[in-house]
Amino acid sequence: MRRISHITPRYILDRVMYFVYERTHKGYPWLTQKANVILEDLLLKTDKVLEFGSGRSTVWFSDRVGMIVSVEHNEEWYGRVKSILDAGYANVDYRLVKKGMDDQKSLGERYVAAAGELGPGSVDIVLVDGIFRSECAILAVNVLSRGGVLILDNVNRYLPSNSRAPDSIALDGKPVDDNWRKFAGLTSGWRRIWTTNGLTDTAFLFKP
């Protein structure tokens, strides 16, 4: 049976506000409203971006940074996004990792490895918004430059917070699994900005 306890007047208001935002900010990344405001001020034309999970953010980043490597696993979605990028977004290195006949473990290894040639400290921004998020987040710790920024979408589902968004882990709880516990340890001293719109959360973590 579907859980409906989160459907409160505040949740309904959050839904309406995000609906209005979507209608008036077409083309913006599917992140929280505040996250997109922060990104507009944060990005530099010289930035190199690594993105796990493509979509509107891919095109949006392309207009604002120097180079973006984007990794996608859904072949149909990849085709739809690629048709847009082929129209003139030359600074995007778009990579498809097909599921094929292998098992989920192999897919995960290949998905993360799709950005494997990026050396330590070689990327300014990493957005984790696709599959195998914990593995991608751990990789990001290594490839980010000093002062680089890791952006985690739906982070409330994986790390403890005081978020009011559904499916959030309580502030006195623990990361959802061993990988997220490892990630929390690796980034325990990092500055962060945690944003929410009541539906989901997007966090910014700044590498020292």
Side-chain angles (χ1 to χ4, degrees), residues 2-149:
R2 186 174 181 182
R3 185 175 64 83
I4 61 172
S5 60
H6 65 281
I7 303 179
T8 63
R10 179 59 187 266
Y11 176 81
I12 293 171
L13 177 60
D14 289 334
R15 274 282 179 196
V16 171
M17 291 178 66
Y18 191 67
F19 174 78
V20 173
Y21 175 81
E22 282 278 284
R23 300 278 291 186
T24 57
H25 292 75
K26 294 179 180 180
Y28 277 66
W30 284 305
L31 305 172
T32 68
Q33 299 93 308
K34 185 176 180 180
N36 285 335
V37 171
I38 292 171
L39 273 174
E40 286 190 301
D41 290 335
L42 188 68
L43 297 177
L44 299 174
K45 268 295 187 180
T46 54
D47 281 338
K48 183 172 184 179
V49 174
L50 169 61
E51 172 189 61
F52 288 102
S54 63
R56 293 196 316 203
S57 57
T58 313
V59 176
W60 192 86
F61 272 125
S62 178
D63 287 331
R64 292 164 172 81
V65 302
M67 171 68 180
I68 175 171
V69 175
S70 183
V71 181
E72 178 58 51
H73 80 286
N74 185 302
E75 191 167 0
E76 180 181 355
W77 184 248
Y78 175 88
R80 290 172 63 181
V81 176
K82 191 173 188 301
S83 66
I84 298 172
L85 297 176
D86 285 346
Y89 295 88
N91 62 338
V92 180
D93 181 352
Y94 197 27
R95 305 179 182 186
L96 173 64
V97 181
K98 297 182 182 180
K99 184 173 183 179
M101 299 298 292
D102 55 5
D103 59 18
Q104 195 76 351
K105 180 179 179 181
S106 176
L107 173 62
E109 290 172 347
R110 292 188 293 105
Y111 185 80
V112 177
E117 90 285 357
L118 299 175
S122 62
V123 177
D124 302 297
I125 309 281
V126 179
L127 171 61
V128 177
D129 193 19
I131 56 174
F132 304 104
R133 295 196 188 195
S134 59
E135 293 90 339
C136 295
I138 290 170
L139 172 73
V141 172
N142 182 52
V143 300
L144 272 174
S145 61
R146 289 188 176 182
V149 184

Side-chain angles (χ1 to χ4, degrees), residues 195-207:
T195 72
T196 186
N197 56 21
L199 308 177
T200 188
D201 295 9
T202 305
F204 295 75
L205 288 81
F206 298 82
K207 186 173 181 178

